[in-house]
Amino acid sequence: TAHAMATPKIVRPDFGGPFPEHLAIIMDGNGRWAQERALRRVFGHREGINSVREITTECARMGMKSLTLYAFSVENWKRPRVEVRYLMRLLRQFLIQERPTLMDNGVRLIAIGRLDSLPKDALDALRETEALTAKNSGMLLRLALSYGGRAEIADGLRKLARDVKSGALAVDAIDEETMRGYLYDPGTPDPDLMIRTAGEMRISNFLLWQISYSEIYVADVCWPDFRKPQLLAALKSYAKRVRKFGGLVADGPAPKA
Ligand code: IPE
Ligand code: IPE
Ligand code: MG
């Protein structure tokens, strides 16, 4: 209907400072969430979907430009077969079930990672959801699936080396921007803020190239408990950060040496 097609109204909280254009989240602690409740790990993954829906919707409503969610790492394939199979089923279910929510919020979905490792039915659902949402002009939702930061750099380097070999790229022309062009989704600017849930203080091979100057926020709650209030707390913290990118003053004139 015409009503559903309307661009959702953007309501952004004002914390008196900058708002991240690109937020990246390491969604961790699903297993612990379940185990704390004497449930099997997979129940935590299932509950985590509700956080994905709430956080995606809230970010879209706030007018965030991009949200990258670390959903499955290239190392996560090492987990027990039953857990991997459950996660892949959940992924397919999510990609199908969330289509109305994505459309209502004007969200465009893409995936980054070694996607050819995904089971065919999950990949088919992914391609269909990407196609369905391709023309949405609101937030970009990037799902990192079978993703590894080193894998991304290695995959990019292989393509770069091929271009050098064929003569399409000169060795002396390689700089940081050239390298970026060979990563999975080079058009999306680096994350401004990176959140990890479940209190863990590590990167776990997420977006190694792109997070060089991202602000980091660690939330103590497990991912299934990370909802709007926790998101607002992270955004409030970000609003107070001073980003200098190696310089001395944020966005100001260079001070005299
Ligand atoms: C994050 O939760 C989801 C995935 C990595 C797929 P975990 O499954 O890592 O949960 P914990 O860290 O073991 O509690
Ligand atoms: C990182 O969490 C990967 C995702 C959230 C998808 P892990 O649970 O796999 O990371 P480690 O093993 O604790 O470092
Ligand atoms: Mg974990």
PDB file of all heavy atoms in Angstrom, residues 23-24 26 191-196 200-203 211-219 234 237-238 241 243:
ATOM      1  N   LEU A  23      27.498   1.619  12.289  1.00  0.00           N
ATOM      2  CA  LEU A  23      27.680   0.866  13.533  1.00  0.00           C
ATOM      3  C   LEU A  23      27.953  -0.590  13.171  1.00  0.00           C
ATOM      4  O   LEU A  23      27.280  -1.154  12.307  1.00  0.00           O
ATOM      5  CB  LEU A  23      26.399   0.965  14.368  1.00  0.00           C
ATOM      6  CG  LEU A  23      26.283   0.050  15.595  1.00  0.00           C
ATOM      7  CD1 LEU A  23      27.352   0.366  16.637  1.00  0.00           C
ATOM      8  CD2 LEU A  23      24.887   0.198  16.228  1.00  0.00           C
ATOM      9  N   ALA A  24      28.954  -1.180  13.804  1.00  0.00           N
ATOM     10  CA  ALA A  24      29.244  -2.600  13.604  1.00  0.00           C
ATOM     11  C   ALA A  24      29.102  -3.296  14.951  1.00  0.00           C
ATOM     12  O   ALA A  24      29.523  -2.753  15.980  1.00  0.00           O
ATOM     13  CB  ALA A  24      30.657  -2.784  13.052  1.00  0.00           C
ATOM     14  N   ILE A  26      29.560  -6.998  17.170  1.00  0.00           N
ATOM     15  CA  ILE A  26      29.919  -8.401  17.380  1.00  0.00           C
ATOM     16  C   ILE A  26      28.871  -8.952  18.349  1.00  0.00           C
ATOM     17  O   ILE A  26      28.886  -8.639  19.546  1.00  0.00           O
ATOM     18  CB  ILE A  26      31.347  -8.545  17.961  1.00  0.00           C
ATOM     19  CG1 ILE A  26      32.379  -7.887  17.025  1.00  0.00           C
ATOM     20  CG2 ILE A  26      31.686 -10.020  18.198  1.00  0.00           C
ATOM     21  CD1 ILE A  26      33.805  -7.862  17.585  1.00  0.00           C
ATOM     22  N   PRO A 191      33.334   1.538   9.927  1.00  0.00           N
ATOM     23  CA  PRO A 191      32.464   1.740  11.085  1.00  0.00           C
ATOM     24  C   PRO A 191      32.979   2.884  11.962  1.00  0.00           C
ATOM     25  O   PRO A 191      34.184   3.000  12.195  1.00  0.00           O
ATOM     26  CB  PRO A 191      32.553   0.419  11.852  1.00  0.00           C
ATOM     27  CG  PRO A 191      33.102  -0.571  10.904  1.00  0.00           C
ATOM     28  CD  PRO A 191      33.936   0.185   9.920  1.00  0.00           C
ATOM     29  N   ASP A 192      32.058   3.704  12.445  1.00  0.00           N
ATOM     30  CA  ASP A 192      32.432   4.747  13.403  1.00  0.00           C
ATOM     31  C   ASP A 192      32.477   4.161  14.803  1.00  0.00           C
ATOM     32  O   ASP A 192      33.309   4.535  15.617  1.00  0.00           O
ATOM     33  CB  ASP A 192      31.390   5.875  13.355  1.00  0.00           C
ATOM     34  CG  ASP A 192      31.332   6.499  11.993  1.00  0.00           C
ATOM     35  OD1 ASP A 192      32.351   7.079  11.578  1.00  0.00           O
ATOM     36  OD2 ASP A 192      30.287   6.378  11.315  1.00  0.00           O
ATOM     37  N   LEU A 193      31.564   3.247  15.042  1.00  0.00           N
ATOM     38  CA  LEU A 193      31.446   2.633  16.373  1.00  0.00           C
ATOM     39  C   LEU A 193      31.331   1.130  16.218  1.00  0.00           C
ATOM     40  O   LEU A 193      30.619   0.638  15.351  1.00  0.00           O
ATOM     41  CB  LEU A 193      30.196   3.178  17.083  1.00  0.00           C
ATOM     42  CG  LEU A 193      29.839   2.553  18.435  1.00  0.00           C
ATOM     43  CD1 LEU A 193      30.926   2.798  19.477  1.00  0.00           C
ATOM     44  CD2 LEU A 193      28.492   3.110  18.940  1.00  0.00           C
ATOM     45  N   MET A 194      32.081   0.426  17.064  1.00  0.00           N
ATOM     46  CA  MET A 194      32.003  -1.031  17.080  1.00  0.00           C
ATOM     47  C   MET A 194      31.609  -1.466  18.479  1.00  0.00           C
ATOM     48  O   MET A 194      32.252  -1.085  19.462  1.00  0.00           O
ATOM     49  CB  MET A 194      33.360  -1.595  16.704  1.00  0.00           C
ATOM     50  CG  MET A 194      33.643  -2.904  17.328  1.00  0.00           C
ATOM     51  SD  MET A 194      33.758  -4.123  16.090  1.00  0.00           S
ATOM     52  CE  MET A 194      35.463  -4.050  15.869  1.00  0.00           C
ATOM     53  N   ILE A 195      30.542  -2.231  18.569  1.00  0.00           N
ATOM     54  CA  ILE A 195      30.051  -2.722  19.861  1.00  0.00           C
ATOM     55  C   ILE A 195      30.308  -4.221  19.945  1.00  0.00           C
ATOM     56  O   ILE A 195      30.105  -4.943  18.970  1.00  0.00           O
ATOM     57  CB  ILE A 195      28.524  -2.464  20.007  1.00  0.00           C
ATOM     58  CG1 ILE A 195      28.213  -0.966  19.996  1.00  0.00           C
ATOM     59  CG2 ILE A 195      27.984  -3.133  21.275  1.00  0.00           C
ATOM     60  CD1 ILE A 195      26.713  -0.641  20.010  1.00  0.00           C
ATOM     61  N   ARG A 196      30.778  -4.683  21.090  1.00  0.00           N
ATOM     62  CA  ARG A 196      30.795  -6.123  21.342  1.00  0.00           C
ATOM     63  C   ARG A 196      29.989  -6.386  22.593  1.00  0.00           C
ATOM     64  O   ARG A 196      30.159  -5.697  23.603  1.00  0.00           O
ATOM     65  CB  ARG A 196      32.214  -6.669  21.498  1.00  0.00           C
ATOM     66  CG  ARG A 196      32.197  -8.192  21.705  1.00  0.00           C
ATOM     67  CD  ARG A 196      33.518  -8.873  21.514  1.00  0.00           C
ATOM     68  NE  ARG A 196      33.343 -10.324  21.597  1.00  0.00           N
ATOM     69  CZ  ARG A 196      34.101 -11.207  20.959  1.00  0.00           C
ATOM     70  NH1 ARG A 196      35.086 -10.800  20.188  1.00  0.00           N
ATOM     71  NH2 ARG A 196      33.872 -12.493  21.086  1.00  0.00           N
ATOM     72  N   GLU A 200      33.267  -9.358  26.314  1.00  0.00           N
ATOM     73  CA  GLU A 200      34.553  -9.862  25.814  1.00  0.00           C
ATOM     74  C   GLU A 200      35.351  -8.724  25.160  1.00  0.00           C
ATOM     75  O   GLU A 200      34.849  -8.000  24.334  1.00  0.00           O
ATOM     76  CB  GLU A 200      34.273 -10.950  24.773  1.00  0.00           C
ATOM     77  CG  GLU A 200      35.026 -12.229  24.957  1.00  0.00           C
ATOM     78  CD  GLU A 200      34.710 -12.960  26.239  1.00  0.00           C
ATOM     79  OE1 GLU A 200      33.655 -13.601  26.323  1.00  0.00           O
ATOM     80  OE2 GLU A 200      35.543 -12.880  27.155  1.00  0.00           O
ATOM     81  N   MET A 201      36.642  -8.631  25.524  1.00  0.00           N
ATOM     82  CA  MET A 201      37.496  -7.534  25.039  1.00  0.00           C
ATOM     83  C   MET A 201      38.373  -8.007  23.901  1.00  0.00           C
ATOM     84  O   MET A 201      39.599  -8.014  24.021  1.00  0.00           O
ATOM     85  CB  MET A 201      38.376  -7.018  26.175  1.00  0.00           C
ATOM     86  CG  MET A 201      37.603  -6.550  27.369  1.00  0.00           C
ATOM     87  SD  MET A 201      37.170  -4.827  27.211  1.00  0.00           S
ATOM     88  CE  MET A 201      36.486  -4.527  28.836  1.00  0.00           C
ATOM     89  N   ARG A 202      37.770  -8.500  22.834  1.00  0.00           N
ATOM     90  CA  ARG A 202      38.594  -8.870  21.682  1.00  0.00           C
ATOM     91  C   ARG A 202      37.811  -8.713  20.395  1.00  0.00           C
ATOM     92  O   ARG A 202      36.591  -8.581  20.382  1.00  0.00           O
ATOM     93  CB  ARG A 202      39.153 -10.289  21.829  1.00  0.00           C
ATOM     94  CG  ARG A 202      38.103 -11.359  21.944  1.00  0.00           C
ATOM     95  CD  ARG A 202      38.712 -12.768  21.990  1.00  0.00           C
ATOM     96  NE  ARG A 202      37.668 -13.726  22.317  1.00  0.00           N
ATOM     97  CZ  ARG A 202      37.373 -14.135  23.567  1.00  0.00           C
ATOM     98  NH1 ARG A 202      38.073 -13.701  24.587  1.00  0.00           N
ATOM     99  NH2 ARG A 202      36.381 -14.977  23.775  1.00  0.00           N
ATOM    100  N   ILE A 203      38.576  -8.750  19.290  1.00  0.00           N
ATOM    101  CA  ILE A 203      38.038  -8.441  17.965  1.00  0.00           C
ATOM    102  C   ILE A 203      37.540  -9.700  17.258  1.00  0.00           C
ATOM    103  O   ILE A 203      36.658  -9.635  16.401  1.00  0.00           O
ATOM    104  CB  ILE A 203      39.145  -7.758  17.116  1.00  0.00           C
ATOM    105  CG1 ILE A 203      39.609  -6.448  17.778  1.00  0.00           C
ATOM    106  CG2 ILE A 203      38.687  -7.502  15.694  1.00  0.00           C
ATOM    107  CD1 ILE A 203      38.536  -5.401  17.911  1.00  0.00           C
ATOM    108  N   ILE A 211      38.409  -1.337  10.918  1.00  0.00           N
ATOM    109  CA  ILE A 211      38.193  -0.781  12.264  1.00  0.00           C
ATOM    110  C   ILE A 211      39.384   0.011  12.783  1.00  0.00           C
ATOM    111  O   ILE A 211      39.447   0.313  13.970  1.00  0.00           O
ATOM    112  CB  ILE A 211      37.857  -1.879  13.302  1.00  0.00           C
ATOM    113  CG1 ILE A 211      38.962  -2.936  13.341  1.00  0.00           C
ATOM    114  CG2 ILE A 211      36.493  -2.469  13.029  1.00  0.00           C
ATOM    115  CD1 ILE A 211      38.911  -3.778  14.586  1.00  0.00           C
ATOM    116  N   SER A 212      40.315   0.375  11.883  1.00  0.00           N
ATOM    117  CA  SER A 212      41.554   0.988  12.366  1.00  0.00           C
ATOM    118  C   SER A 212      41.297   2.176  13.296  1.00  0.00           C
ATOM    119  O   SER A 212      42.032   2.362  14.260  1.00  0.00           O
ATOM    120  CB  SER A 212      42.443   1.391  11.193  1.00  0.00           C
ATOM    121  OG  SER A 212      41.752   2.249  10.338  1.00  0.00           O
ATOM    122  N   TYR A 213      40.258   2.969  13.010  1.00  0.00           N
ATOM    123  CA  TYR A 213      39.957   4.104  13.884  1.00  0.00           C
ATOM    124  C   TYR A 213      38.537   4.072  14.435  1.00  0.00           C
ATOM    125  O   TYR A 213      38.014   5.107  14.861  1.00  0.00           O
ATOM    126  CB  TYR A 213      40.258   5.432  13.175  1.00  0.00           C
ATOM    127  CG  TYR A 213      41.713   5.818  13.354  1.00  0.00           C
ATOM    128  CD1 TYR A 213      42.644   5.639  12.334  1.00  0.00           C
ATOM    129  CD2 TYR A 213      42.152   6.321  14.573  1.00  0.00           C
ATOM    130  CE1 TYR A 213      43.977   5.963  12.516  1.00  0.00           C
ATOM    131  CE2 TYR A 213      43.486   6.652  14.760  1.00  0.00           C
ATOM    132  CZ  TYR A 213      44.393   6.471  13.728  1.00  0.00           C
ATOM    133  OH  TYR A 213      45.704   6.798  13.924  1.00  0.00           O
ATOM    134  N   SER A 214      37.920   2.895  14.459  1.00  0.00           N
ATOM    135  CA  SER A 214      36.571   2.805  15.028  1.00  0.00           C
ATOM    136  C   SER A 214      36.632   2.975  16.542  1.00  0.00           C
ATOM    137  O   SER A 214      37.568   2.500  17.187  1.00  0.00           O
ATOM    138  CB  SER A 214      35.952   1.445  14.706  1.00  0.00           C
ATOM    139  OG  SER A 214      35.881   1.245  13.316  1.00  0.00           O
ATOM    140  N   GLU A 215      35.629   3.616  17.090  1.00  0.00           N
ATOM    141  CA  GLU A 215      35.487   3.672  18.547  1.00  0.00           C
ATOM    142  C   GLU A 215      34.935   2.329  19.015  1.00  0.00           C
ATOM    143  O   GLU A 215      34.105   1.715  18.327  1.00  0.00           O
ATOM    144  CB  GLU A 215      34.525   4.800  18.937  1.00  0.00           C
ATOM    145  CG  GLU A 215      35.038   6.186  18.593  1.00  0.00           C
ATOM    146  CD  GLU A 215      36.285   6.574  19.392  1.00  0.00           C
ATOM    147  OE1 GLU A 215      36.369   6.181  20.583  1.00  0.00           O
ATOM    148  OE2 GLU A 215      37.168   7.253  18.834  1.00  0.00           O
ATOM    149  N   ILE A 216      35.393   1.870  20.172  1.00  0.00           N
ATOM    150  CA  ILE A 216      34.975   0.555  20.666  1.00  0.00           C
ATOM    151  C   ILE A 216      34.134   0.716  21.933  1.00  0.00           C
ATOM    152  O   ILE A 216      34.431   1.546  22.804  1.00  0.00           O
ATOM    153  CB  ILE A 216      36.215  -0.331  20.933  1.00  0.00           C
ATOM    154  CG1 ILE A 216      36.958  -0.572  19.599  1.00  0.00           C
ATOM    155  CG2 ILE A 216      35.818  -1.670  21.569  1.00  0.00           C
ATOM    156  CD1 ILE A 216      38.278  -1.316  19.745  1.00  0.00           C
ATOM    157  N   TYR A 217      33.074  -0.066  22.001  1.00  0.00           N
ATOM    158  CA  TYR A 217      32.203  -0.077  23.181  1.00  0.00           C
ATOM    159  C   TYR A 217      31.892  -1.524  23.518  1.00  0.00           C
ATOM    160  O   TYR A 217      31.459  -2.282  22.654  1.00  0.00           O
ATOM    161  CB  TYR A 217      30.909   0.676  22.878  1.00  0.00           C
ATOM    162  CG  TYR A 217      29.937   0.754  24.033  1.00  0.00           C
ATOM    163  CD1 TYR A 217      29.962   1.813  24.942  1.00  0.00           C
ATOM    164  CD2 TYR A 217      28.973  -0.228  24.213  1.00  0.00           C
ATOM    165  CE1 TYR A 217      29.059   1.879  26.003  1.00  0.00           C
ATOM    166  CE2 TYR A 217      28.065  -0.167  25.270  1.00  0.00           C
ATOM    167  CZ  TYR A 217      28.117   0.893  26.152  1.00  0.00           C
ATOM    168  OH  TYR A 217      27.225   0.963  27.206  1.00  0.00           O
ATOM    169  N   VAL A 218      32.160  -1.914  24.752  1.00  0.00           N
ATOM    170  CA  VAL A 218      31.861  -3.284  25.171  1.00  0.00           C
ATOM    171  C   VAL A 218      30.684  -3.252  26.144  1.00  0.00           C
ATOM    172  O   VAL A 218      30.715  -2.528  27.146  1.00  0.00           O
ATOM    173  CB  VAL A 218      33.088  -3.955  25.822  1.00  0.00           C
ATOM    174  CG1 VAL A 218      32.730  -5.327  26.373  1.00  0.00           C
ATOM    175  CG2 VAL A 218      34.225  -4.084  24.805  1.00  0.00           C
ATOM    176  N   ALA A 219      29.637  -3.983  25.814  1.00  0.00           N
ATOM    177  CA  ALA A 219      28.463  -4.085  26.692  1.00  0.00           C
ATOM    178  C   ALA A 219      28.562  -5.387  27.471  1.00  0.00           C
ATOM    179  O   ALA A 219      28.934  -6.419  26.910  1.00  0.00           O
ATOM    180  CB  ALA A 219      27.188  -4.061  25.862  1.00  0.00           C
ATOM    181  N   ALA A 234      25.130   2.885  24.451  1.00  0.00           N
ATOM    182  CA  ALA A 234      26.327   2.863  23.600  1.00  0.00           C
ATOM    183  C   ALA A 234      26.405   4.141  22.759  1.00  0.00           C
ATOM    184  O   ALA A 234      27.483   4.718  22.597  1.00  0.00           O
ATOM    185  CB  ALA A 234      26.299   1.631  22.696  1.00  0.00           C
ATOM    186  N   SER A 237      27.543   7.005  24.853  1.00  0.00           N
ATOM    187  CA  SER A 237      28.987   6.942  25.073  1.00  0.00           C
ATOM    188  C   SER A 237      29.723   7.452  23.839  1.00  0.00           C
ATOM    189  O   SER A 237      30.673   8.233  23.935  1.00  0.00           O
ATOM    190  CB  SER A 237      29.390   5.499  25.399  1.00  0.00           C
ATOM    191  OG  SER A 237      30.781   5.337  25.276  1.00  0.00           O
ATOM    192  N   TYR A 238      29.254   7.043  22.660  1.00  0.00           N
ATOM    193  CA  TYR A 238      29.899   7.476  21.415  1.00  0.00           C
ATOM    194  C   TYR A 238      29.832   9.000  21.260  1.00  0.00           C
ATOM    195  O   TYR A 238      30.792   9.627  20.801  1.00  0.00           O
ATOM    196  CB  TYR A 238      29.238   6.805  20.199  1.00  0.00           C
ATOM    197  CG  TYR A 238      29.835   7.252  18.890  1.00  0.00           C
ATOM    198  CD1 TYR A 238      31.034   6.707  18.432  1.00  0.00           C
ATOM    199  CD2 TYR A 238      29.238   8.264  18.123  1.00  0.00           C
ATOM    200  CE1 TYR A 238      31.613   7.138  17.255  1.00  0.00           C
ATOM    201  CE2 TYR A 238      29.808   8.702  16.940  1.00  0.00           C
ATOM    202  CZ  TYR A 238      30.991   8.124  16.515  1.00  0.00           C
ATOM    203  OH  TYR A 238      31.568   8.565  15.347  1.00  0.00           O
ATOM    204  N   ARG A 241      32.780  10.764  22.675  1.00  0.00           N
ATOM    205  CA  ARG A 241      34.137  10.423  22.241  1.00  0.00           C
ATOM    206  C   ARG A 241      34.749  11.568  21.425  1.00  0.00           C
ATOM    207  O   ARG A 241      34.052  12.254  20.683  1.00  0.00           O
ATOM    208  CB  ARG A 241      34.138   9.156  21.374  1.00  0.00           C
ATOM    209  CG  ARG A 241      33.450   7.949  21.991  1.00  0.00           C
ATOM    210  CD  ARG A 241      34.280   7.324  23.102  1.00  0.00           C
ATOM    211  NE  ARG A 241      33.565   6.196  23.714  1.00  0.00           N
ATOM    212  CZ  ARG A 241      33.715   4.924  23.351  1.00  0.00           C
ATOM    213  NH1 ARG A 241      34.557   4.614  22.381  1.00  0.00           N
ATOM    214  NH2 ARG A 241      33.031   3.967  23.946  1.00  0.00           N
ATOM    215  N   ARG A 243      37.308  12.002  18.481  1.00  0.00           N
ATOM    216  CA  ARG A 243      38.030  11.232  17.459  1.00  0.00           C
ATOM    217  C   ARG A 243      39.068  12.122  16.798  1.00  0.00           C
ATOM    218  O   ARG A 243      38.738  13.163  16.248  1.00  0.00           O
ATOM    219  CB  ARG A 243      37.044  10.676  16.439  1.00  0.00           C
ATOM    220  CG  ARG A 243      35.979   9.835  17.099  1.00  0.00           C
ATOM    221  CD  ARG A 243      35.056   9.214  16.093  1.00  0.00           C
ATOM    222  NE  ARG A 243      35.713   8.142  15.349  1.00  0.00           N
ATOM    223  CZ  ARG A 243      35.186   7.585  14.269  1.00  0.00           C
ATOM    224  NH1 ARG A 243      34.038   8.029  13.780  1.00  0.00           N
ATOM    225  NH2 ARG A 243      35.821   6.608  13.652  1.00  0.00           N
TER     226      ARG A 243
END
